[in-house]
Amino acid sequence: MARPRGFLRFMSQTPLVPKSRRWRTIAIVAALAAGLAYPAYRMIESWSRDDALRMARAGKFVEAEPGLRAAIERDPADAEVAEALARGSLEAGRNEEAERYLELWVAARPDRTEAHRALFEFARKSKNWAKALPAGLRLRELEPNDPQLTRTLVSVAFEAGSMDVAEKLVRELIASQPGNPGFRVTLASILRGRGDGAGSVAILDEVIRDQPTFTPALADRAAAYEESGEPAKAIPLLREVLKSDKQRQRSAGYRLSIALERNGQHDEAKKVLDEVRRLQDVSTAEEAMKNQPGDPGLRVRLGAALLAAGHLDDGVRMVSSAFGLDPRFAPAHQALAEHYEKTGQPAKAAEHRRQLKAP
Amino acid sequence: MSKKVLLVVALLAAGCGPDAAPTADSLRPVEREPGGVHFSDATATAGIDFEHHDSVTDRNTILETMGSGLAWVDYDSDGRIDLLFIQDGPLPPKTEPKPTHKLYRNLGGGKFEDVTTRTGLNRTGYGQGVAVGDYDNDGFDDLAISYFGKLELLHNVADSAAPGGRKFVDVSAAARIANPHWGTSLAWGDLTGDGKLDLYVCNYCEIDLERYQPCWNEAKGANFICPPTVFEKVPHKLFTNNGDGTFTDATATSGIAGAAPGGGLAVVILDLDGDGKQDIYAVNDLGPAFAFQNLGGGKFKERGMLSGAGLDRNGRFMAGMGIAAGDIDGSSRPSLAVSNYQDEPTEIFLNKGNFAFTEWNHPSGVGPATLRTLGFGIELFDADRDGHLDLVQANGHVYKNANLILGIAQPQAAQMFIGDGNARFREITPTAGDYFQKRYVGRGVAVADWDDDGRPDLAFSHNAGPGKLLRNETENGHHGLRLELRGDGVKSNRNAIGAKVTIEVARRKLTRWIHGGGSYLSASDRRLIVGLGSAVVAEKVTIAWPSGAVQTITNLAADRPWLVVEGRDPAPRVKP
């Protein structure tokens, strides 16, 4: 049998206390200790929580986190702690935990815009439309005069598939700014989403009549023509978008190529598509390069693929970028020599061959 | 005394212990919609114990995140569908024992038996995809399995000692089937119109495991799965069936090699333009999808981008992972659904006829709902038997360290959508069953009515996780037409892959196809379950066989399995 230790051993063995009373005394002392320990513990907890909050606010989230976690476990309605945990988790890129703490924060502070805004922004960026929409609508109740919020909410409702909400909100925006073509094009998209193709087209036609070069309307109207099997009508609209909207080069080019193809203009369709493909190939190669930025071999391989696809300037640029990592990188000289030989540029080819042989 | 000890003392004094904090993966109670689609997890009770090998290495190679597929195959032709899970294995330098695929024989009564070894499927390698097809028209399904670095053709042969009297024998060499590349999804289909099944194999990318250079995230101080764009590609493969047990590599002669090589992950073979010839639609990870139009004579023209189903709406490459095909809008044309990367929508391409597609992800409702997931396996099937195709998608990120790199978990819940027949879908994941509330690293999904109750069930494969078997327990009073088609084995392949079935019921016309491939690395059952809603009889069933023959059947009763052999009257499918 294990022998009692420390205080218990002392109490059980000391001759100063009669044996019959020893255990009663032990019990009383223990009860007193427990009675004192609990308030003391709560006090320590409180210090610990406050310390953790101070640390979190001082930007020391890693150190603060254990204390904050303990505090939120004790009291999930502790708004300050929930906020600190939410902000820290967001900062650390731990999105799943951030979501949990944002929800606790909102629950603890149902009337605070800050908490709702944080949850709304988080859910929106995470493309969690089902969560973003109610959070945003609640935020709008708290901040009814924020037009930017309403604009954002329209797109959130649209993505969430809540077309009735989206329509109601965008109609409010149109009422406040009747001349805004963007709002009307958005309404057209919503109507299309609701299955009201005719209503959607009527609005787009109205916008185009008012502003014939407003490219979002042109692009959407062209899409409607494509859907209704009228590629010939889509073509001039898409040409206009391609000409005047630098942001829509790829999408307009792609859709123009399809419209041309469906309209029997195969050669031009291929030509337009080649340019779309070039834009896409180059952007994909550049993106790929970022994954292994220090690998000259990858640059040569990607550049060679661009050359093979006929994107000559882009290919040469990509292959040559390998010299930035290794000025004497033989595979790059080899690829360029072959390219210049194929394209009838013997002098340049010879220079790269010479570099290849150089010691 | 430490704080920890104090905490324990205080909690004990207060008479309570700390509650476990809810975890992201914990199960939420599922509220079942009355009459709504509902699946229960039958994995354990059915005797399925497959565990996909975790081939993770500290190099985070792209190979180890792909997972492997699964197939529904009635290998012994007893009318009960059996279940095959494909396995991968340890990557160098690891030398642990290599796990094998697993074949589970359906015993009926909701039970399966592991018959892997006795059927010759205790095969190893870095397995990826599987396709089921009776390439020699002998009445028994054969298998094509893709691996990293090889391709196997397994012939289904008689063996009285084997369960069901059948086993598989590797005939790859004799059949001249070879693919030393990284094959992924594959599909059988009669692409030459000669009544014999040909084989299409997607190739992903070329990697050198010995000299693998991981991709590095500077900000997070960690490596991660490289995108396929940093690797070289090779063309996909097409093997045409010579009819004598051998195949011809027709990759070059068919025009398949003429398309710029892409990182192929999924393929479906079916007649996209309604001209009676089987076309090929294959998706490439970060490259344009291929839509090979069958010109006849074994020749194909690649029309992916100009068809409208090659890129996303904005003219960007898709990260095409899986494909589902079916008539989702009542047009009697097969539309396409393509699962996609995180933050990218699952694409829906409506088939407008004449090899023209319109992108429809947002209006369908599927696009916005899939932005938060990384989709792989995908299937269109009629879960609630209302006559409209529904959609299921397996999800799971490719980064094992997604938490570190992206702040999200790698495992993701699968999603379930109910279709309305007008190309619009409603997500019902929260009420679809417990499985849909849990997160897995989902990869393959395949459909089959494994318990023969007339409702289509599901099975999933997960990377480095358990195989899962779900039972459809939807109770809504709907009926279904159950059809197994068998071609004549001469002009039509016996599997009837390529058949188009039109069902007329209650003034509705429903169109279904038996197609090759689909999903991701996986194979669904070919047998059709066509929801009839409240009707108990299909008034008219028209079958356009691959041979071109058209057969019409009238007044076919619902809720019983029918076997239709080309040119003969339907007969009830009898089980032993």
Side-chain angles (χ1 to χ4, degrees):
Chain A
M1 189 177 162
R3 296 170 63 196
R5 288 176 169 192
F7 174 74
L8 290 178
R9 184 180 176 191
F10 166 75
M11 285 298 292
S12 62
Q13 290 178 352
T14 177
L16 299 174
V17 184
K19 210 170 186 179
S20 60
R21 290 187 185 167
R22 277 180 202 158
W23 286 110
R24 197 188 307 163
T25 312
I26 290 169
I28 291 166
V29 170
L32 281 172
L36 287 172
Y38 184 69
Y41 176 69
R42 290 308 299 257
M43 202 161 67
I44 291 166
E45 270 184 351
S46 161
W47 293 337
S48 155
R49 170 196 176 275
D50 294 347
D51 280 348
L53 274 175
R54 263 194 297 276
M55 277 193 282
R57 284 168 186 154
K60 296 176 182 169
F61 181 68
V62 175
E63 293 91 326
E65 194 177 4
L68 293 173
R69 278 177 181 267
I72 204 76
E73 267 185 35
R74 286 192 301 272
D75 180 9
D78 188 332
E80 283 181 287
V81 173
E83 177 184 354
L85 280 165
R87 290 191 189 283
S89 304
L90 280 172
E91 186 87 6
R94 301 201 311 249
N95 293 343
E96 304 223 350
E97 289 166 46
E99 183 174 341
R100 210 154 60 232
Y101 295 126
L102 281 167
E103 283 174 347
L104 287 178
W105 183 19
V106 164
R109 289 277 187 271
D111 298 324
R112 280 277 296 278
T113 57
E114 211 180 358
H116 286 281
R117 187 175 292 282
L119 178 60
F120 172 60
E121 290 300 335
F122 170 81
R124 192 171 66 86
K125 282 178 189 155
S126 314
K127 299 185 169 66
N128 188 345
W129 313 120
K131 193 156 275 180
L133 184 58
L137 290 172
R138 174 69 184 135
L139 180 60
R140 191 164 178 269
E141 281 172 18
L142 298 170
E143 285 193 353
N145 299 316
D146 181 348
Q148 181 56 45
L149 172 63
T150 306
R151 260 180 244 147
T152 310
L153 259 178
V154 170
S155 62
V156 169
F158 182 71
E159 294 295 351
S162 294
M163 296 300 171
D164 49 346
V165 175
E167 184 176 347
K168 179 178 169 288
L169 294 174
V170 81
R171 285 193 186 279
E172 283 179 28
L173 289 170
I174 291 170
S176 65
Q177 292 183 49
N180 187 314
F183 294 159
R184 288 193 286 162
V185 170
T186 303
L187 176 60
S189 299
I190 292 165
L191 293 180
R192 176 176 177 261
R194 300 191 81 163
D196 180 6
S200 170
V201 160
I203 291 171
L204 290 172
D205 285 342
E206 202 179 275
V207 175
I208 293 168
R209 196 179 58 231
D210 295 348
Q211 299 198 29
T213 57
F214 188 62
T215 54
L218 295 174
D220 283 4
R221 186 66 183 95
Y225 279 131
E226 285 173 51
E227 278 167 26
S228 60
E230 300 174 276
K233 291 180 179 173
I235 290 168
L237 306 185
L238 290 167
R239 284 193 202 283
E240 179 62 33
V241 177
L242 201 57
K243 190 179 83 182
S244 53
D245 191 338
K246 296 292 166 221
Q247 304 298 314
R248 287 182 162 81
Q249 290 299 291
R250 215 156 37 182
S251 61
Y254 179 49
R255 287 161 66 181
L256 176 60
S257 69
I258 291 171
L260 289 165
E261 173 77 3
R262 289 177 188 172
N263 202 42
Q265 296 165 255
H266 305 298
D267 291 344
E268 193 184 353
K270 189 177 174 313
K271 198 172 149 197
V272 174
L273 187 63
D274 283 347
E275 176 59 10
V276 172
R277 181 73 199 256
R278 186 190 72 79
L279 291 170
Q280 184 67 79
D281 282 343
V282 170
S283 103
T284 303
E286 283 171 350
E287 202 54 43
M289 214 168 63
K290 287 180 195 164
N291 294 295
Q292 292 179 343
D295 182 358
L298 175 63
R299 291 170 187 234
V300 172
R301 202 163 66 237
L302 294 169
L306 292 174
L307 291 171
H311 314 321
L312 304 188
D313 293 344
D314 302 298
V316 168
R317 183 170 51 81
M318 183 70 76
V319 173
S320 303
S321 73
F323 297 130
L325 298 171
D326 179 353
R328 300 175 66 180
F329 192 60
H333 285 300
Q334 177 75 33
L336 289 172
E338 285 172 10
H339 163 66
Y340 288 128
E341 277 157 7
K342 271 187 207 160
T343 53
Q345 301 176 75
K348 286 185 178 177
E351 173 56 21
H352 284 287
R353 293 269 177 223
R354 190 186 65 73
Q355 297 268 9
L356 262 177
K357 288 178 188 161
Chain B
M1 192 181 276
S2 74
K3 277 185 190 174
K4 267 186 189 169
V5 175
L6 264 177
L7 174 68
V8 170
V9 170
L11 288 170
L12 289 174
C16 65
D19 289 336
T23 67
D25 286 337
S26 63
L27 197 65
R28 295 190 298 275
V30 176
E31 281 190 29
R32 192 169 171 171
E33 271 185 11
V37 167
H38 192 89
F39 290 90
S40 66
D41 187 340
T43 313
T45 55
I48 304 295
D49 59 358
F50 178 78
E51 279 288 331
H52 186 257
H53 175 77
D54 187 355
S55 61
V56 67
T57 69
D58 56 10
R59 294 183 299 169
N60 254 327
T61 66
I62 187 172
L63 185 59
E64 64 205 57
T65 196
M66 305 305 285
S68 309
L70 71 154
W72 288 107
V73 49
D74 182 7
Y75 82 95
D76 52 0
S77 205
D78 67 353
R80 293 194 191 99
I81 196 81
D82 310 301
L83 180 57
L84 170 66
F85 283 101
I86 301 299
Q87 184 63 280
D88 61 15
L91 292 173
K94 291 184 181 170
T95 54
E96 62 211 66
K98 293 177 178 175
T100 72
H101 313 309
K102 271 203 173 187
L103 176 64
Y104 295 92
R105 185 175 182 225
N106 191 337
L107 303 175
K111 298 288 180 192
F112 287 77
E113 174 194 17
D114 183 347
V115 295
T116 307
T117 304
R118 289 177 290 160
T119 52
L121 283 174
N122 52 337
R123 309 185 67 79
T124 60
Y126 207 92
Q128 296 284 278
V130 55
V132 178
D134 178 8
Y135 76 87
D136 57 350
N137 285 330
D138 67 352
F140 291 92
D141 279 341
D142 310 296
L143 300 171
I145 300 178
S146 63
Y147 295 81
F148 175 69
K150 68 174 177 176
L151 173 64
E152 279 181 349
L153 179 64
L154 302 179
H155 189 209
N156 186 334
V157 299
D159 181 347
S160 57
R166 308 297 301 184
K167 71 173 183 182
F168 292 93
V169 175
D170 184 358
V171 295
S172 314
R176 288 185 241 145
I177 288 277
N179 181 35
H181 306 288
W182 179 358
T184 55
S185 291
L186 353 76
W188 292 103
D190 182 4
L191 294 164
T192 52
D194 60 358
K196 296 181 283 290
L197 291 177
D198 309 301
L199 180 64
Y200 186 95
V201 183
C202 293
N203 278 322
Y204 191 41
C205 49
E206 301 287 275
I207 63 170
D208 181 346
L209 284 175
E210 305 223 327
R211 282 178 284 277
Y212 191 89
Q213 189 177 347
C215 287
W216 181 256
N217 185 311
E218 194 66 49
K220 302 288 182 181
N223 59 33
F224 63 100
I225 300 290
C226 290
T229 45
V230 305
F231 305 106
E232 284 183 75
K233 313 284 187 315
V234 293
H236 300 191
K237 284 269 188 190
L238 174 61
F239 297 94
T240 52
N241 191 333
N242 299 324
D244 58 0
T246 68
F247 288 77
T248 298
D249 184 342
T251 308
T253 55
S254 62
I256 301 299
L265 285 180
V267 57
V268 67
I269 294 178
L270 82 171
D271 181 6
L272 291 170
D273 54 0
D275 66 354
K277 296 190 285 287
Q278 300 297 299
D279 307 301
I280 303 164
Y281 181 71
V283 289
N284 295 305
D285 191 356
L286 292 176
F290 297 148
F292 288 110
Q293 186 175 28
N294 193 335
L295 304 177
K299 302 286 183 194
F300 292 84
K301 182 181 182 187
E302 205 291 291
R303 297 189 57 192
M305 288 197 280
L306 288 174
S307 75
L311 303 176
D312 75 6
R313 185 181 182 82
N314 295 312
R316 294 173 310 184
F317 294 153
M318 295 178 284
M321 304 296 196
I323 307 172
D327 178 8
I328 57 173
D329 60 354
S331 65
S332 293
R333 293 185 290 262
S335 292
L336 301 165
V338 179
S339 54
N340 212 336
Y341 204 72
Q342 189 90 21
D343 294 330
E344 306 287 342
T346 289
E347 294 289 352
I348 303 289
F349 296 111
L350 287 185
N351 190 332
K352 307 301 275 187
N354 296 318
F355 227 80
F357 294 84
T358 294
E359 193 277 338
W360 190 253
N361 86 63
H362 193 281
S364 73
V366 174
T370 49
L371 282 168
R372 284 188 300 129
T373 54
L374 200 166
F376 275 91
I378 185 168
E379 276 290 1
L380 284 162
F381 70 116
D382 192 354
D384 54 3
R385 298 187 300 170
D386 64 351
H388 307 312
L389 290 179
D390 310 310
L391 188 144
V392 64
Q393 180 172 300
N395 297 313
H397 207 280
V398 294
Y399 293 175
K400 190 99 181 170
N401 55 356
N403 249 322
L404 173 67
I405 303 285
L406 304 167
I408 57 171
Q410 184 188 29
Q412 298 178 342
Q415 288 170 290
M416 182 76 215
F417 298 86
I418 296 298
D420 70 353
N422 289 309
R424 290 172 199 273
F425 293 83
R426 175 174 62 91
E427 185 173 11
I428 57 143
T429 304
T431 57
D434 286 349
Y435 171 81
F436 290 89
Q437 314 314 308
K438 287 188 167 179
R439 300 188 202 177
Y440 295 93
V441 183
R443 294 295 183 256
V445 62
V447 181
D449 177 19
W450 62 267
D451 57 0
D452 281 312
D453 68 350
R455 292 174 288 199
D457 309 298
L458 295 169
F460 288 84
S461 68
H462 305 113
N463 189 36
K468 282 285 178 185
L469 179 67
L470 305 191
R471 175 186 274 124
N472 187 338
E473 294 186 336
T474 307
E475 297 288 352
N476 57 10
H478 287 170
H479 303 278
L481 184 65
R482 302 162 67 183
L483 284 177
E484 179 179 348
L485 303 190
R486 188 176 294 167
D488 65 5
V490 181
K491 288 183 177 171
S492 292
N493 64 87
R494 272 183 73 102
N495 289 160
I497 295 173
K500 178 182 177 183
V501 184
T502 307
I503 300 99
E504 291 173 50
V505 57
R507 283 179 295 220
R508 285 197 294 169
K509 190 187 266 192
L510 311 173
T511 310
R512 302 289 184 264
W513 292 262
I514 298 180
H515 59 71
S519 192
Y520 169 75
L521 305 179
S522 300
S524 289
D525 188 6
R526 289 185 306 273
R527 293 178 296 183
L528 295 174
I529 297 179
V530 186
L532 302 181
S534 56
V536 293
V537 172
E539 290 134 24
K540 187 175 169 189
V541 176
T542 307
I543 302 169
W545 293 94
S547 63
V550 177
Q551 185 172 352
T552 302
I553 303 159
T554 52
N555 297 323
L556 209 49
D559 302 333
R560 57 192 294 194
W562 291 102
L563 172 66
V564 185
V565 179
E566 184 171 6
R568 293 194 215 155
D569 286 337
R573 179 58 149 114
V574 181
K575 291 189 189 63

